């Protein structure tokens, strides 16, 4: 089609303003509250409450998180593709952010009243479905609006919001009652309220570029299904970048999945929920100390690979500490190092990913495919972790495997050719 590309499809050249970055970051943080209040505290407590007699709580948690991750893996690229094709007067991304957070809040309310494992599974799957609709739109907004030379810094602010969302979600889940009677339900309701409130500034105050109806990609089931596959032969840099992200995230997921149970059953902490909050806070402080600095430094250096590589190595060392130094001080040191490494990785790898996207017209779908590398580890981690803990060496072996997986991911970033 002839003529200049409309604003929604053009490569951005104007720097993103502070207000836009702040509002998008707040919305991103709100979504992570909706995910990690449950993942860090509430789902584990609920699984222990609802597990049928003779069924380990770890298995129930694995079923719930695994089912939700499958939904996340499908819904993120699906809603990204739908947002690519949205020609609303409110823009391509904003309608999906608004609808996703409202649906996510409703799903968290459903979880608050879950009295059986099937309802718990249904509620968490709905949380993943709806919040991934919003998350797909938020991540696609960055290549829509931010020039390449600024993406490390903006990715850093999004990463800072992510960790603050994790800390806030964990804090809300704990402060709303934690292990007290009725506390799990109160925790879900608190997270639901934050999800909605945190996204209001972006949805209500900022303009999203409108896609002209004539430039909308065709919508068909075949086109949507075909879009889930991006050939690594045709786009090898995207393939290697995806695999790097998947493996590093898998190592991180293996390290965090059973953290509450690790503190309770291995370290015998008297208040494991409070211990998770302390470790999350330590991790958050060190992550916040590196996430924006790492992204901005990468922008100035014009390089991404060395930052991703060394971030992965630091995370490997941290996970190794959980395997070899199974004490509370060891857990604190591991949390701090994981924050340092994951902070740099979060911002710089995000910027790297936006630089290997194949086409502007499919940014939402392509970012959704990339985000599968975040969701798929949530499926793989329970499948790997449960048998390792119960049959193949316990938590020491679990964290050793996590360290090895993360290290392989870090080394594979060197295979990318188009981004330094």
């Amino acid at each position: 089609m002839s003529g200049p590309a409309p604003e929604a499809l053009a490569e951005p050249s104007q720097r993103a303003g502070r207000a836009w970055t702040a509002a998008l970051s707040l919305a991103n943080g709100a979504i992570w509250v909706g995910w990690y209040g449950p993942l860090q505290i509430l789902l584990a407590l609920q699984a222990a409450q609802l597990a049928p007699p003779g069924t380990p709580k770890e298995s129930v948690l694995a079923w719930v998180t695994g089912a939700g991750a499958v939904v996340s893996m499908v819904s993120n690229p699906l809603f990204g593709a739908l947002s690519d094709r949205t020609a609303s007067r409110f823009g391509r991304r904003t309608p999906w952010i608004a609808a996703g957070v409202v649906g996510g809040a409703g799903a968290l309310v459903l979880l608050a009243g879950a009295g059986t494992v099937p309802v718990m599974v249904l509620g968490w799957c709905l949380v993943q479905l709806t919040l991934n609709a919003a998350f797909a739109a938020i991540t696609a907004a960055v290549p829509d609006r931010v020039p390449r030379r600024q993406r490390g810094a903006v990715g850093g602010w999004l990463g800072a919001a992510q960790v603050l969302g994790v800390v806030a979600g964990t804090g809300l889940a704990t402060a709303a009652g934690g292990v007290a009677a009725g506390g799990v339900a109160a925790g879900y309701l608190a997270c639901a309220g934050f999800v909605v409130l945190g996204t209001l500034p972006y949805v209500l105050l900022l303009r999203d570029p409108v896609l002209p109806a004539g430039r909308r990609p065709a919508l068909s089931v075949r086109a949507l299904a075909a879009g889930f596959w991006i050939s690594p032969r045709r786009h090898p840099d995207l393939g290697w970048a995806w695999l790097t992200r998947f493996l590093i995230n898998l190592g991180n997921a293996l390290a965090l999945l059973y953290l509450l149970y690790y503190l309770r059953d291995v370290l015998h902490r008297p208040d494991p929920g409070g211990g998770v909050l302390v470790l999350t806070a330590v991790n958050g402080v060190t992550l916040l100390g590196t996430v924006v600095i790492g992204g901005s430094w990468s922008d100035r250096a014009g390089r991404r690979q060395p930052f991703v590589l060394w971030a992965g190595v630091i995370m490997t060392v941290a996970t190794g500490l959980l395997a070899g130094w199974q004490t509370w001080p060891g857990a604190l040191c591991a949390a701090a190092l994981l924050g340092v490494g994951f902070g740099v990785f979060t911002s710089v790898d995000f910027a790297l990913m936006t630089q290997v996207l194949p086409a502007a017209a499919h940014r939402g779908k392509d970012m959704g495919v990339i985000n599968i590398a975040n969701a798929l580890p949530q499926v793989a981690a329970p499948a790997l972790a449960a048998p390792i803990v119960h049959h193949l060496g316990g938590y020491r072996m679990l964290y050793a495997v996590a360290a090895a997986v993360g290290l392989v991911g870090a080394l594979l970033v060197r295979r990318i050719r188009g981004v330094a």
Side-chain angles (χ1 to χ4, degrees):
M1 188 177 295
S2 60
E7 182 184 3
L9 299 179
E11 182 67 25
S13 58
Q14 298 295 319
R15 290 180 64 85
R18 293 179 180 177
W20 184 90
T21 302
L24 187 74
S25 298
L26 179 59
N28 185 54
I31 289 173
W32 286 87
V33 167
W35 275 328
Y36 268 78
L39 278 172
Q40 292 282 70
I41 296 290
L42 300 173
L43 290 175
L45 292 173
Q46 200 168 29
Q49 292 174 1
L50 301 181
T55 302
K57 59 186 180 298
E58 293 90 348
S59 297
V60 172
L61 183 60
W63 297 338
V64 174
T65 56
V70 170
V71 172
S72 173
M73 193 166 51
V74 174
S75 60
N76 202 290
L78 173 62
F79 286 112
L82 291 173
S83 72
D84 287 335
R85 292 161 170 80
T86 299
S88 155
R89 65 188 180 92
F90 300 106
R92 290 198 292 176
R93 314 303 181 192
T94 297
W96 295 100
I97 296 174
V101 297
V102 171
L108 288 167
V109 172
L110 175 63
L111 266 175
T116 65
V117 172
V119 175
M120 186 181 170
V121 172
L122 173 63
W124 184 240
C125 287
L126 289 174
V127 169
Q128 290 284 24
L129 178 75
T130 51
L131 291 187
N132 268 286
F135 186 64
I138 283 174
T139 55
V142 175
D144 282 350
R145 303 294 298 276
V146 182
R148 293 188 177 193
R149 64 183 181 275
Q150 193 190 3
R151 289 179 189 170
V154 172
W157 287 113
L158 289 176
Q162 173 181 323
V163 72
L164 288 173
V166 171
V167 173
T170 306
L172 282 174
T174 303
V179 297
V184 169
Y188 280 125
L189 296 177
C191 291
F194 197 102
V195 165
V196 174
L197 293 176
T199 55
L200 287 179
Y202 187 87
V203 170
L204 297 180
L205 301 179
L206 297 175
R207 184 187 70 87
D208 193 25
V210 174
L211 176 69
R215 301 297 294 268
R216 178 169 50 193
L219 179 62
S220 68
V221 174
R222 176 175 294 182
L224 289 175
F228 278 65
W229 173 253
I230 301 175
S231 171
R233 186 179 297 274
R234 293 180 56 195
H235 306 285
D237 281 353
L238 179 59
W240 289 117
W242 189 96
L243 188 57
T244 291
R245 170 172 282 206
F246 167 74
L247 290 174
I248 291 180
N249 275 303
L250 177 59
N252 194 55
L254 287 169
L256 296 179
L257 179 65
Y258 290 156
L259 187 57
L260 182 75
Y261 301 151
Y262 174 74
L263 296 181
R264 175 186 293 169
D265 301 336
V266 177
L267 301 190
H268 305 294
R269 298 294 297 174
D271 179 15
V276 171
L277 180 59
V278 170
L279 294 180
T280 303
V282 170
N283 179 268
V285 168
T286 56
L287 194 155
L288 287 173
T290 60
V291 66
V292 177
I293 292 173
S296 299
W297 188 6
S298 175
D299 285 340
R300 290 194 298 270
R303 294 173 63 82
R304 311 294 188 195
Q305 286 193 27
F307 293 88
V308 172
L309 174 61
W310 285 106
V313 170
I314 291 171
M315 293 172 67
T316 297
V317 172
T319 310
L321 283 177
L322 292 173
W325 188 17
Q326 294 191 331
T327 65
W328 178 243
L332 289 170
C333 290
L337 280 177
L338 275 172
V340 171
F342 200 67
V344 175
F345 173 77
T346 296
S347 56
V348 180
D349 186 69
F350 180 83
L352 186 154
M353 284 295 192
T354 66
Q355 292 179 223
V356 296
L357 298 178
H362 304 290
R363 288 175 183 140
K365 181 267 294 179
D366 292 340
M367 288 299 294
V369 171
I370 287 170
N371 285 332
I372 291 176
N374 299 331
L376 187 56
Q378 304 304 321
V379 178
L384 291 171
I388 290 174
V389 168
H390 288 294
H391 306 295
L392 299 175
Y395 284 95
R396 194 178 299 277
M397 180 59 68
L398 175 68
Y399 292 126
V401 170
V405 168
L407 181 60
V408 172
L411 294 174
L412 287 179
V413 75
R414 303 298 297 171
R415 302 298 300 269
I416 297 171
R417 297 288 178 256
V419 181

